[in-house]
Amino acid sequence: MSLRTALTRPARYGALVAGALPVLTFPGAGLAALAWVALVPGLLLMRAAGTAREAAVRGWWFGAGFILTAMYWLIPSIGPALPLLAVVFGMLLAPVGVAVWWLLHGELTLRRSAAALVVVPAVWVSAEFARSWHALGGPWALLGASQWEHPAVLGLASVGGVWLVSWALVAVNTALTLLVLAREARLRVLAAATALVAVVSGPLAFAAQPAPATRGSASVALVQAGQTSDERARLEANVRITRSLAGRPVDLVVWGESSTTADLDRDGATLDRLAALSQSTGAQLLVGEDARKADGRISKDAVLVDSSGIVARYRKIRLVPFGEYIPLRPLLGWIAGVSSAAGENRAPGRSVHLLPVVGQGGRPLPVGALICFESAFPDMSRTASRQGAELIVYQSATSTFQSTWAPAQHASLGAIRAAETGRPVVQAALTGESVAYDAQGRRLARLTTGESGAVTVRLSPADPAARTWYVRLGDWVPLTALAVTAAAGAAAALPRLRERRRPSAPAAPPSSDLPSARV
């Protein structure tokens, strides 16, 4: 098939548009309920393909439409690389198209329909898991994250992470697709029962889980500087807002990512100012340092400061592709010349570790401090929880994307991480959104992108020994999805392999034109 012919197939453009529908379920548009049905048009287009190859192409185009829409706000950072990104990541959904076509095309049977209700969600979650690998960009816009406002649905996240929420959503979409296609009553009953189980499983898990185990209480102040003209003005705004907290019962003051560009290991004057702030407020400060270090490299650190100086620091591990480093810079470095992509690579940290915060009463409050993009990664907050974190703190800076859906989507991830870990989660951003969630993902406080100042929230820190099922078991859902996907792939390939290995029938002996002998 020629390229011209491939680009003139209306169904493929339909798949591209259908891929944009699920993006409406995330903050920005905020149509979370749509997530339970948003995949149906795309699944129907994949099922209607004439061949498995065409179904794969439609799945690919669906994925490309999803990535283009979900990450449109990256255009200032990566410019013309976004369509390339969409083409690469869209390919991960090609197997979804094959699975849908293989199991739902033609005359439906009970066996294939039942398999579709398991295999299609598994292939989808496998694609999300593959896309979540940091080297490929990271887990932004996972379908399960669309349910951040619904703690009852997030009961699934405490069992299997955001992956289990995605599985439930895709299972319902697959069941509804089957309901549209099925003619037999038994197939409709199967589809309806599957959808019902997937919908109620979250609330049931939420109702069955015990109340989060807590240890005392803590007051945390989130400082949001707002829009500032330069780095110096940003620091001054943070200092001014923090001074206003003096006299309040605050255990920890959190600034946003990159709230100071001073190397606090070498800039004694700035460090003295921060130590004095800690002294005046009676609380430790967790500031964001974005500075060139003594080795000449730039790093992003969360630095814990008290009245005596630096207590501890954490260096950002998962850097933002193109924003903080360019993958394969010798090959892709040209992108920095046509966009605002990173001019040089930041230096990453090595490991997740807790910061030894101490509250005003002298009570230890071990904190899992992570930075910005790291809120998208379930494994990082889970690691901090296993280490005994009582509170998860994120520092963020999304000033480049203020007029887009990105800040709200970023802030919503805290609810997912809270539900997964059973820990309160807070996020302090330079220009918004700054948010706080309780241990079940319910939002307690918020500063929007148009605000500046401080918000103080009273939290119930988790018992360090508390473990949700997700913290205990880890990524069992995506690993199960990969196993199901592999088994389905083997089942689909096995008949073809047997056909190839089957010996060909022996050739018939050549007929003779000679007359038979007569006696």
Side-chain angles (χ1 to χ4, degrees), residues 1 4 84 105 145 194 214 393 479 497 515:
M1 181 189 301
R4 181 177 180 180
L84 177 62
H105 83 286
T194 300
T214 61
V393 175
L479 294 178
L497 291 176

Side-chain angles (χ1 to χ4, degrees), residues 21-22 24-26 29-39 143 146-150 153 169 172-173 176 199:
L21 288 179
L24 299 178
T25 67
F26 297 110
L31 304 177
L34 184 65
W36 300 97
V37 300
L39 305 185
L143 189 61
S146 66
Q147 303 305 299
W148 71 278
E149 285 186 292
H150 303 285
V153 179
L169 290 169
V172 171
N173 277 272
L176 294 179
V199 168

Side-chain angles (χ1 to χ4, degrees), residues 263-338:
D263 177 6
L264 298 178
D265 289 325
R266 295 183 292 168
D267 189 335
T270 301
L271 180 59
D272 288 344
R273 292 187 71 188
L274 299 180
L277 274 178
S278 177
Q279 178 71 37
S280 66
T281 59
Q284 291 180 319
L285 309 182
L286 186 60
V287 303
E289 179 193 88
D290 186 356
R292 191 173 298 278
K293 307 301 290 185
D295 62 2
R297 302 187 68 186
I298 301 175
S299 64
K300 292 194 173 186
D301 295 9
V303 185
L304 183 64
V305 177
D306 67 8
S307 58
S308 66
I310 295 175
V311 177
R313 64 169 65 232
Y314 163 78
R315 179 160 296 173
K316 188 175 186 180
I317 298 173
R318 305 274 172 83
L319 302 177
V320 180
F322 301 100
E324 294 168 342
Y325 81 102
I326 294 182
L328 304 174
R329 183 174 285 275
L331 180 64
L332 301 177
W334 59 269
I335 294 175
V338 296

Side-chain angles (χ1 to χ4, degrees), residues 29 37 42 72 187 194 209 266 310 344 353 393 404 464 494 508 518:
V37 300
Y72 78 94
L187 298 184
T194 300
Q209 65 186 359
R266 295 183 292 168
I310 295 175
E344 63 180 290
H353 57 271
V393 175
T404 72
L494 192 58
R518 292 183 181 180

Side-chain angles (χ1 to χ4, degrees), residues 151-198:
V153 179
L154 294 184
L156 291 174
S158 68
V159 178
V162 67
W163 319 109
L164 191 54
V165 184
S166 287
W167 189 302
L169 290 169
V170 180
V172 171
N173 277 272
T174 306
L176 294 179
T177 302
L178 182 56
L179 276 174
V180 171
L181 299 172
R183 298 179 180 179
E184 295 184 37
R186 60 177 184 169
L187 298 184
R188 293 177 179 175
V189 170
L190 173 65
T194 300
L196 179 62
V197 169

Side-chain angles (χ1 to χ4, degrees), residues 362-441:
R363 187 183 78 82
L365 180 65
V367 165
L370 300 168
I371 301 175
C372 202
F373 183 52
E374 294 178 329
S375 68
F377 292 89
D379 65 303
M380 300 192 74
S381 54
R382 180 165 56 87
T383 297
S385 299
R386 292 176 66 88
Q387 292 175 352
E390 298 182 13
L391 170 68
I392 306 296
V393 175
Y394 294 106
Q395 296 174 311
S396 175
T398 55
S399 54
T400 305
F401 312 111
Q402 289 302 280
S403 59
T404 72
W405 291 352
Q409 291 181 13
H410 189 206
S412 72
L413 296 176
I416 311 296
R417 305 290 86 88
E420 288 174 337
T421 62
R423 264 79 178 157
V425 170
V426 300
Q427 173 176 293
L430 288 181
T431 55
E433 294 186 2
S434 296
V435 288
Y437 300 95
D438 71 7
Q440 293 177 306

